[in-house]
């Protein structure tokens, strides 16, 4: 009986990981884009301060470009079929860290907002 070695550097493994990273990044991009656009389409209300939409949208100013870069990188890798295992696992690590610490990142960005009262 011959045992096959499971190689984490093969394209058979890296391609599905890249697809998963791309799908998660696209989902997060559309979620934050929807929040961002939804904040600025709220009708004006005299009880809501003028700076509040900018305060609520501040985390999106950083999260949206982050996911745009990840989406662009994944699409480029898939088109060129160049699955460098180091870059794929770095992208996977960034996405997993964002998944695990999403609300802490959001809270940190809100605490750094220049629009805070």
């Amino acid at each position: 009986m011959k045992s096959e070695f499971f190689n984490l550097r093969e394209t058979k493994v890296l391609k599905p990981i890249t697809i998963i990273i791309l799908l998660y990044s696209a989902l997060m991009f559309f979620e934050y884009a929807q929040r961002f656009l939804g904040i600025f389409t709220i009708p004006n209300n005299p009880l809501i301060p003028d700076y509040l939409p900018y305060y609520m949208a501040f985390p999106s100013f950083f999260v949206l470009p982050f996911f745009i870069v990840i989406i662009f990188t994944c699409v480029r890798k898939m088109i060129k079929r160049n699955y460098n295992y180091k870059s794929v696992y770095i992208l996977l690590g960034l996405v997993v860290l964002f998944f695990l610490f999403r609300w802490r990142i959001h809270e940190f960005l809100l605490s750094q907002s220049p629009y805070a009262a």
Side-chain angles (χ1 to χ4, degrees):
M1 239 177 158
K2 190 175 185 182
S3 174
E4 297 268 339
F5 180 71
F6 187 67
N7 190 359
L8 294 175
R9 295 181 183 183
E10 287 184 8
T11 303
K12 292 179 187 178
V13 176
L14 296 175
K15 186 177 180 181
I17 291 174
T18 305
I19 292 170
I20 290 170
I21 294 169
L22 178 64
L23 291 175
Y24 180 77
S25 298
L27 178 70
M28 288 294 105
F29 174 78
F30 287 121
E31 180 181 334
Y32 276 90
Q34 182 265 333
R35 285 184 189 177
F36 181 75
L37 295 174
I39 289 169
F40 291 105
T41 57
I42 297 172
N44 289 336
N45 187 336
L47 299 176
I48 297 176
D50 292 336
Y51 64 87
L52 188 61
Y54 298 104
Y55 174 74
M56 292 170 45
F58 186 75
S60 296
F61 295 148
F62 296 96
V63 174
L64 286 174
F66 173 74
F67 282 115
I68 287 173
V69 168
I70 291 178
I71 290 169
F72 175 75
T73 305
C74 288
V75 168
R76 195 168 128 232
K77 285 186 178 306
M78 292 178 71
I79 289 173
K80 291 188 175 188
R81 296 180 186 186
N82 181 14
Y83 300 102
N84 182 0
Y85 74 94
K86 289 180 183 178
S87 61
V88 169
Y89 288 125
I90 287 172
L91 291 174
L92 179 64
L94 289 172
V95 168
V96 167
L97 285 174
F98 184 83
F99 177 77
L100 293 175
F101 300 109
R102 179 176 174 186
W103 296 113
R104 290 184 190 234
I105 294 169
H106 189 81
E107 288 174 7
F108 172 75
L109 290 173
L110 279 179
S111 71
Q112 302 300 317
S113 176
Y115 303 106

